[in-house]
Amino acid sequence: MDILWTLLTLPYAPVRGLTSVVKVIAREAESRQYDPANIRRELEELDRAAEAGDITPEERDRGQQRVLDRLTGVGGAGADSATGGADTTAAPARPPRRPAARRRAAGQVRRVDRRDDPERRRGR
């Protein structure tokens, strides 16, 4: 069966390969984006540029806020360009809730509401 499946899906092999390469690149980019050494380097570059007079202290503060927003996930993509970095009071977005079946730990028994159970009504 495996041989037949491999032969039937052989035309999709380049797509699967490209997908796996894109996933690897995305993981690497994300790990570099949140790497403490890179974050420290970016903040130090902003401080050096401000000390050298290449940027104003306000520009340095906006750059630092962009780095911190990227770390905390506040604002999302393009928030700085739309507001000019001025709106820093936005609350962080809440992650979507997972279905109850996934929230329960393995081995937990689901509690069943038996108020409408006909057998229960007969017992009263």
Side-chain angles (χ1 to χ4, degrees):
M1 185 67 181
D2 289 336
I3 294 172
L4 181 62
W5 183 254
T6 303
L7 289 175
L8 289 174
T9 60
L10 191 60
Y12 297 109
V15 174
R16 286 193 307 261
L18 182 64
T19 304
S20 64
V21 168
V22 168
K23 286 180 182 179
V24 168
I25 291 172
R27 270 195 311 258
E28 182 64 26
E30 188 172 285
S31 69
R32 287 187 182 185
Q33 182 177 5
Y34 297 112
D35 183 28
N38 287 337
I39 294 166
R40 177 177 286 187
R41 182 183 45 78
E42 287 181 42
L43 293 173
E44 288 172 353
E45 286 176 2
L46 285 168
D47 288 338
R48 266 189 251 120
E51 288 173 2
D54 295 337
I55 60 173
T56 64
E58 291 81 19
E59 290 173 330
R60 181 195 66 201
D61 292 342
R62 279 195 302 264
Q64 288 175 344
Q65 190 62 44
R66 256 185 266 130
V67 171
L68 294 175
D69 287 346
R70 186 180 75 216
L71 285 175
T72 58
V74 174
D80 290 330
S81 63
T83 61
D87 186 19
T88 59
T89 60
R94 293 180 63 184
R97 291 191 62 174
R98 293 184 296 168
R102 291 187 183 176
R103 283 195 306 261
R104 283 191 298 273
Q108 279 187 336
V109 178
R110 181 176 166 213
R111 187 182 304 175
V112 178
D113 187 12
R114 298 201 182 264
R115 283 181 266 181
D116 296 320
D117 188 12
E119 292 183 19
R120 184 170 181 247
R121 277 190 247 152
R122 276 188 251 148
R124 282 190 167 182

